[in-house]
Amino acid sequence: MDLSPELRRQIALCSRCGTCRAHCPVFGELLEERAVARGKVQAVAALGRRELAATKEIREFFDLCLLCETCEAGCPNGVEVHSLVQAAREEMARARGVGIGGLVLGVLASARRLEAAARLLRFYQWTGAQALARRSGLLRALPGQVGPREDLVPPVELPTLARRYPGVIRPAGRPRFRVAYFTGCMSQAVMTGTGTAVIEMLLLCRAEVVLPPQACCALAIWASGQSRSARRMAEAHIGNFLATGADAIITGCGSCGHMLQRYGELCNTQKAGEFSSKVVDVSAFLYQAGLPEPDVPVSLCITFHDSCHLRRGMGVWEEPRRLLHRIPGLVLAEMDEPDRCCGGGGAFVITHYEVARRIGRRKAKAIQATGAQAVVTGCPGCRVQLSHALRIHQHPLPVYHPVDLLARSYQQQG
């Protein structure tokens, strides 16, 4: 593995102090050096010296990472661990390929394939085929299907958000802004109610909204080591979104937003930099744009989970809380470690289900201790993992996006 000067610099920054051990959620459950950042830093160095080869075991070593960037936030030397792990994953992909996962990820690269997959999944969920597969024991016979992980796939909602909102969506009165909404896979075909709430709140700020052609943000593909495919996806989005002339590119998903902000570095072009500079989380945009004060009470005690990519990646955590504090009747009970990873990590919860379940158990206990009636988070992936963790630990609670409760406070939705 050839190491760039920047990667060598990052490796040299690591003093092997072990501070990352106290922050890593995976190490917190496994208590094994292979799970922690300093071990991965040294493994990258060994790959560069040709002391390690791209074996199946080494690939698993680097896959055992949530890319939550918690270790970076706590690192006294500021080592960018995610860039080292990502470089190693790219090496693994070059040397070993991406396997069947590459076929799954290929679906994400196309809006047309995404919608086709959503229709197939909806057919599976709504025709009784899913229930039949469970009763027959077929799912237990499939490789890697352990426990209730299939429940991690929420019900698909059709038509997709893009089909519900074709063309330009104009507010009442003269528009103050023109924004392009990047829905992300989840709000596009699963949590479409949240996607609708995002649009309604943007309209209340008198923003003109457009949904350009789009597919997955490319985070899953990039994180699997397929940087070239991720770059092609990014370039398509950059062209489609900049063509709208939007003042801002809005996302309601911390993971999508963090990835979109990486496009400038990933593609290294002026247009990519312009695109990334316009990416704003919806809560931050609504707060800055001056969303009107809500006047409909929402009598609910909530607690807030900070998405890793939203807080550490995009630097957004105060704005959603400030918006929620405006809602009459809403009470926010903060949990311990609100920004500790929930264990979702995109595909991590599927590929490392048992570790993710144990991390989720800690989060579920923290939520339960608040006495809250619901959980709020700014990442759809976290919503799925939190709902799953609370359910399997016998404390089921609804999990909302901030805009869901904001929309309710304006009587925009139920």
Side-chain angles (χ1 to χ4, degrees), residues 99-284:
I100 193 170
L103 299 176
V104 176
L105 295 173
V107 173
L108 304 177
S110 162
R112 185 175 298 176
R113 290 196 293 268
L114 265 174
E115 182 166 350
R119 292 185 180 280
L120 285 173
L121 185 55
R122 181 175 171 84
F123 177 83
Y124 172 69
Q125 291 173 335
W126 288 83
T127 60
Q130 184 177 36
L132 179 62
R134 285 175 174 169
R135 286 196 301 269
S136 67
L138 175 62
L139 293 175
R140 289 191 295 274
L142 294 175
Q145 292 293 332
V146 180
R149 79 179 77 185
E150 194 210 12
D151 293 335
L152 286 160
V153 182
V156 171
E157 300 176 17
L158 294 175
T160 61
L161 206 64
R163 290 193 178 275
R164 297 183 193 194
Y165 293 97
V168 179
I169 313 157
R170 294 182 171 83
R174 184 176 180 180
R176 298 170 57 212
F177 315 97
R178 181 178 176 87
V179 301
Y181 176 26
F182 190 93
T183 65
C185 302
M186 298 295 283
S187 292
Q188 182 70 257
V190 178
M191 301 172 184
T192 54
T194 296
T196 299
V198 167
I199 293 170
E200 289 171 345
M201 294 303 97
L202 291 170
L203 293 175
L204 279 180
C205 289
R206 286 175 39 204
E208 190 175 72
V209 186
V210 60
L211 277 64
Q214 56 191 279
C216 170
C217 67
L219 175 59
I221 291 175
W222 174 80
S224 72
Q226 300 178 77
S227 57
R228 186 175 300 176
S229 296
R231 192 174 297 112
R232 286 198 298 268
M233 293 172 65
E235 289 168 349
H237 286 140
I238 290 165
N240 290 339
F241 276 74
L242 290 183
T244 66
D247 303 306
I249 296 166
I250 305 298
T251 176
C253 170
S255 294
C256 288
H258 191 26
M259 185 63 201
L260 297 180
Q261 288 182 341
R262 281 196 174 113
Y263 279 10
E265 179 183 355
L266 179 65
C267 299
N268 194 28
T269 63
Q270 183 178 350
K271 285 189 174 181
E274 180 186 353
F275 175 97
S276 290
S277 69
K278 290 187 174 187
V279 176
V280 186
D281 175 71
V282 64
S283 292

Side-chain angles (χ1 to χ4, degrees), residues 246-372:
D247 303 306
I249 296 166
I250 305 298
T251 176
C253 170
S255 294
C256 288
H258 191 26
M259 185 63 201
L260 297 180
Q261 288 182 341
R262 281 196 174 113
Y263 279 10
E265 179 183 355
L266 179 65
C267 299
N268 194 28
T269 63
Q270 183 178 350
K271 285 189 174 181
E274 180 186 353
F275 175 97
S276 290
S277 69
K278 290 187 174 187
V279 176
V280 186
D281 175 71
V282 64
S283 292
F285 181 86
L286 295 176
Y287 183 76
Q288 294 162 8
L291 185 69
E293 291 291 325
D295 57 5
V296 178
V298 178
S299 299
L300 194 65
C301 177
I302 63 167
T303 191
F304 197 93
H305 164 71
D306 289 292
S307 149
C308 296
H309 291 154
L310 186 58
R311 178 158 186 161
R312 283 181 285 279
M314 300 187 75
V316 174
W317 70 92
E318 292 181 348
E319 295 92 331
R321 286 173 168 83
R322 289 177 179 175
L323 289 172
L324 291 168
H325 276 303
R326 293 179 180 178
I327 300 176
L330 197 71
V331 177
L332 174 59
E334 292 283 8
M335 72 176 86
D336 289 337
E337 302 179 306
D339 60 345
R340 188 174 182 86
C341 183
C342 65
F348 186 91
V349 69
I350 302 296
T351 59
H352 298 81
Y353 176 76
E354 183 56 30
V355 179
R357 184 190 65 79
R358 289 162 62 177
I359 296 171
R361 176 175 57 193
R362 176 168 174 160
K363 179 63 71 170
K365 288 181 178 179
I367 292 169
Q368 186 174 8
T370 66

Side-chain angles (χ1 to χ4, degrees), residues 40-75:
K40 290 179 169 55
V41 172
Q42 298 311 312
V44 173
L47 284 169
R49 295 190 299 266
R50 306 297 195 272
E51 295 172 1
L52 288 178
T55 63
K56 180 181 178 181
E57 291 73 21
I58 295 300
R59 181 173 189 163
E60 167 59 23
F61 178 86
F62 285 107
D63 283 347
L64 194 63
C65 176
L66 284 154
L67 291 179
C68 65
E69 302 181 23
T70 310
C71 56
E72 296 183 19
C75 178

